[in-house]
Amino acid sequence: MPFQLFIPLSLLCALLPLHHGAPGPDGTAPDPAHYRERVKAMFYHAYDSYLENAFPFDELRPLTCDGHDTWGSFSLTLIDALDTLLILGNVSEFQRVVEVLQDNVDFDIDVNASVFETNIRVVGGLLSAHLLSKKAGVEVEAGWPCSGPLLRMAEEAARKLLPAFQTPTGMPYGTVNLLHGVNPGETPVTCTAGIGTFIVEFATLSSLTGDPVFEDVARVALMRLWESRSDIGLVGNHIDVLTGKWVAQDAGIGAGVDSYFEYLVKGAILLQDKKLMAMFLEYNKAIRNYTHFDDWYLWVQMYKGTVSMPVFQSLEAYWPGLQSLIGDIDNAMRTFLNYYTVWKQFGGLPEFYNIPQGYTVEKREGYPLRPELIESAMYLYRATGDPTLLELGRDAVESIEKISKVECGFATIKDLRDHKLDNRMESFFLAETVKYLYLLFDPTNFIHNNGSTFDTVITPYGECILGAGGYIFNTEAHPIDPAALHCCQRLKEEQWEVEDLMREFYSLQRNRSRFQKKTVSSGSWEPPAGPGTFLSPENYDKVREKKPAKQKVPLLSCPSQPFTSKLALLGQVFLDSS
């Protein structure tokens, strides 16, 4: 019997009344300027509450007006909120926080930290702030962006994570002690996202520091996951990093898997890497073949493709934004509208939503102020200008303020059915949720630059163009300037190419006739696929084998970066505590 979906009529009814700035009877869209100021006020209510009640702890507890350490002991909310400050235009506070972090954050501590969370929140946040420092008016040191205090902090934090990658498979453990490395007896079971969500931060770090170890371990982890997919092209949820055997075999696009797919696309854009994109497109075919039903995505058994969980998870709401990055706008909008109906039903997205029943799943009724649906709205609005996407932004502002706002910040919604609150404000609320809301309503923000303006900086390696746009958001919404990857540490192949060109030039000057007789290498290579097309990963490897050892790379120039550079997700794993 084929799987059927029943969508209750109640899903089509919005619960929230219209407010000032919302579409009126004439169908006008919400006023962006009005909601931009509302979002800014939300940020400062939460941010000031953290500073007054929780700093230097990781996160604010808004119901008791105090703080606690959650993912380490890094003053995490301050790191996560730093680039949001600049996006909101607050350069003075950005500059102050940079000094505070340098004076107060120490990674040489005896703390067990999540490898995944430390990477996306700490390493990603510090890298983004480092690359935005000059725009924020920070007096940068000579050699920036190839050096700087925030870059050194990011590198130190990332090096603390490297012991986790020392496994037989190259796939990392999920937890590492920042002082002692991987603890004896540490579980080898890691979620898929916890293995495949490093290439954006680690490749950026390698490019800026000149140390290839970070990008190398990230690529190995990505490839091991690719090689572990099932015969029908799917990956599961948790894998043993020592044996490479799947422990949880549910396949889907949500919690525990999500940012692996995200980083294949974003890594491909950031690094101009056709193989990473080809890998994602192969996965996308399998996902559509086995998990896609009526513009919803279900969970299936990774080897058989049979439905295992007919649920929508709130973390899956990043998917329409990811679809927009590969140009699949029509499918992205249809899926987005499905997710938006769930928001309208509850005034937020429950962690799990039973699609056939049209209601929440027991013990998964909460909404911790996640950003994913807002993130997708921002990307789709940039692509389409559809006012429906601004309506989602309006609804998000109204819902969060009405349900979640308390005296000391904004509290996680424990249960969307009765609006009970929980005593936590996750750092991603300031890093992602507020940021994407603001960018949705701020079309002229520097993040949306289309290349019409840019900054020129002189580095030890030559002239460099920065700030031209095309920012790649990591899965914690920390924007990375892709041009920065071309500013530092020229590859040896590029250095050799310059030397070869100079030798040929002087040879031409000395003896033009000799130059004309010179045997030209027959190693020139033309890709068999046309522009905009991608080979399968296996065929791509075969083509690369025919390619000369030294690939020609344009010198002192950056690859064309379309706006296709969204980012954000969480990849958090839900552990049933029952």
Side-chain angles (χ1 to χ4, degrees):
M1 179 178 176
F3 181 82
Q4 295 181 342
L5 298 177
F6 168 70
I7 309 301
L9 183 62
S10 61
L11 277 180
L12 304 177
C13 301
L15 298 183
L16 295 173
L18 294 181
H19 294 258
H20 172 70
D26 59 351
T28 56
D31 176 19
H34 167 80
Y35 278 99
R36 194 160 59 242
E37 292 307 308
R38 293 271 298 275
V39 172
K40 185 179 290 189
M42 288 173 60
F43 174 85
Y44 285 113
H45 178 65
Y47 181 76
D48 292 345
S49 294
Y50 167 78
L51 290 180
E52 293 168 9
N53 300 285
F55 177 80
F57 292 103
D58 279 341
E59 292 179 337
L60 170 69
R61 297 201 302 175
L63 301 184
T64 52
C65 297
D66 57 12
H68 63 153
D69 285 332
T70 51
W71 296 110
S73 186
F74 314 123
S75 300
L76 187 60
T77 295
L78 212 54
I79 296 175
D80 250 353
L82 185 50
D83 50 31
T84 309
L85 284 167
L86 181 60
I87 286 171
L88 268 58
N90 193 337
V91 295
S92 61
E93 181 65 3
F94 183 102
Q95 294 169 13
R96 187 191 73 83
V97 172
V98 167
E99 296 294 329
V100 170
L101 292 177
Q102 292 179 63
D103 293 339
N104 291 276
V105 176
D106 180 12
F107 299 115
D108 196 22
I109 53 177
D110 188 5
V111 167
N112 295 325
S114 164
V115 179
F116 170 85
E117 298 290 352
T118 304
N119 176 55
I120 67 170
R121 303 193 194 207
V122 178
V123 178
L126 291 170
L127 283 173
S128 175
H130 164 71
L131 293 174
L132 293 172
S133 291
K134 191 175 180 67
K135 180 177 285 291
V138 174
E139 186 175 346
V140 298
E141 66 185 39
W144 182 92
C146 310
S147 65
L150 295 182
L151 176 60
R152 288 188 287 273
M153 290 177 67
E155 182 180 3
E156 181 186 359
R159 288 198 185 280
K160 294 289 187 177
L161 306 181
L162 290 180
F165 290 83
Q166 295 172 6
T167 66
T169 63
M171 295 186 285
Y173 283 95
T175 303
V176 67
N177 184 281
L178 299 183
L179 196 60
H180 305 296
V182 178
N183 289 319
E186 179 64 44
T187 176
V189 177
T190 307
C191 70
T192 303
I195 293 167
T197 309
F198 294 91
I199 191 65
V200 169
E201 299 85 0
F202 276 27
T204 300
L205 200 52
S206 285
S207 295
L208 295 178
T209 65
D211 189 340
V213 65
F214 302 106
E215 182 174 347
D216 288 348
V217 298
R219 284 188 178 275
V220 168
L222 283 177
M223 290 309 301
R224 293 297 87 82
L225 284 174
W226 171 255
E227 293 163 359
S228 301
R229 68 197 188 282
S230 69
D231 290 341
I232 61 173
L234 298 173
V235 290
N237 201 278
H238 284 73
I239 195 170
D240 188 313
V241 300
L242 299 181
T243 65
K245 293 183 179 180
W246 290 102
V247 176
Q249 299 180 1
D250 293 310
I253 61 171
V257 183
D258 44 15
S259 49
Y260 169 48
F261 296 138
E262 180 188 2
Y263 271 39
L264 289 175
V265 173
K266 292 174 179 177
I269 297 170
L270 182 69
L271 303 173
Q272 298 291 287
D273 190 316
K274 288 186 177 182
K275 184 172 182 179
L276 294 181
M277 184 62 78
M279 289 162 63
F280 174 78
L281 294 178
E282 286 295 314
Y283 278 130
N284 196 38
K285 290 178 186 177
I287 288 166
R288 291 191 63 81
N289 285 340
Y290 294 101
T291 76
H292 185 249
F293 294 88
D294 290 350
D295 297 314
W296 297 91
Y297 292 85
L298 313 180
W299 289 83
V300 302
Q301 212 281 340
M302 65 176 288
Y303 293 104
K304 300 177 182 178
T306 53
V307 175
S308 60
M309 292 189 296
V311 299
F312 157 61
Q313 300 178 354
S314 61
L315 283 171
E316 296 171 14
Y318 78 98
W319 190 257
L322 196 64
Q323 288 177 300
S324 76
L325 287 184
I326 63 170
D328 193 5
I329 302 298
D330 290 341
N331 284 319
M333 279 299 296
R334 286 195 293 269
T335 297
F336 174 87
L337 292 173
N338 274 353
Y339 297 167
Y340 188 16
T341 59
V342 179
W343 182 288
K344 289 180 177 181
Q345 185 180 2
F346 297 101
L349 290 186
E351 298 285 50
F352 283 25
Y353 178 83
N354 187 299
I355 299 170
Q357 295 178 6
Y359 208 63
T360 60
V361 174
E362 186 179 0
K363 297 183 180 180
R364 295 292 184 268
E365 303 94 346
Y367 172 56
L369 312 183
R370 292 198 186 279
E372 284 73 23
L373 189 62
I374 301 163
E375 171 196 2
S376 286
M378 186 206 74
Y379 279 99
L380 286 169
Y381 187 68
R382 297 295 300 170
T384 68
D386 189 329
T388 302
L389 300 156
L390 294 181
E391 294 172 25
L392 177 276
R394 170 208 66 198
D395 290 354
V397 172
E398 304 294 352
S399 291
I400 292 170
E401 285 200 333
K402 179 179 179 181
I403 302 171
S404 177
K405 187 176 181 179
V406 295
E407 181 181 354
C408 295
F410 292 86
T412 287
I413 301 171
K414 187 175 183 179
D415 193 328
L416 278 167
R417 298 170 303 176
D418 57 15
H419 296 173
K420 288 181 180 177
L421 301 178
D422 206 357
N423 194 19
R424 186 170 186 184
M425 187 181 80
E426 293 249 21
S427 69
F428 62 67
F429 178 67
L430 295 179
E432 301 186 75
T433 308
V434 172
K435 183 182 294 165
Y436 284 130
L437 275 172
Y438 192 80
L439 290 173
L440 174 64
F441 291 118
D442 189 14
T444 62
N445 196 279
F446 75 87
I447 288 291
H448 298 317
N449 187 7
N450 62 6
S452 57
T453 62
F454 54 85
D455 298 315
T456 303
V457 298
I458 304 298
T459 77
Y461 309 97
E463 189 177 77
C464 182
I465 302 298
L466 290 174
Y471 291 91
I472 307 291
F473 286 95
N474 87 334
T475 199
E476 189 78 2
H478 294 305
I480 302 295
D481 188 340
L485 275 67
H486 304 272
C487 289
C488 310
Q489 299 297 68
R490 295 293 168 191
L491 298 175
K492 288 293 185 184
E493 288 82 355
E494 293 182 62
Q495 295 174 6
W496 293 334
E497 179 176 275
V498 172
E499 293 171 3
D500 290 345
L501 289 172
M502 294 303 294
R503 278 195 294 268
E504 289 183 7
F505 174 77
Y506 287 118
S507 176
L508 177 63
Q509 296 292 88
R510 288 194 305 268
N511 190 338
R512 187 173 183 84
S513 61
R514 180 184 174 190
F515 174 81
Q516 292 171 339
K517 295 177 182 178
K518 186 177 180 180
T519 302
V520 178
S521 170
S522 59
S524 61
W525 174 76
E526 293 293 333
T533 63
F534 293 94
L535 304 171
S536 71
E538 291 80 5
N539 289 338
Y540 188 80
D541 280 336
K542 293 176 183 178
V543 171
R544 284 176 65 90
E545 290 172 4
K546 302 176 183 178
K547 190 175 172 182
K550 291 198 294 181
Q551 179 181 358
K552 299 286 184 178
V553 180
L555 294 177
L556 301 181
S557 66
C558 300
S560 174
Q561 295 286 344
F563 180 74
T564 48
S565 4
K566 88 113 198 197
L567 233 295
L569 227 302
L570 262 188
Q572 285 189 341
V573 183
F574 293 96
L575 301 177
D576 196 337
S577 58
S578 60

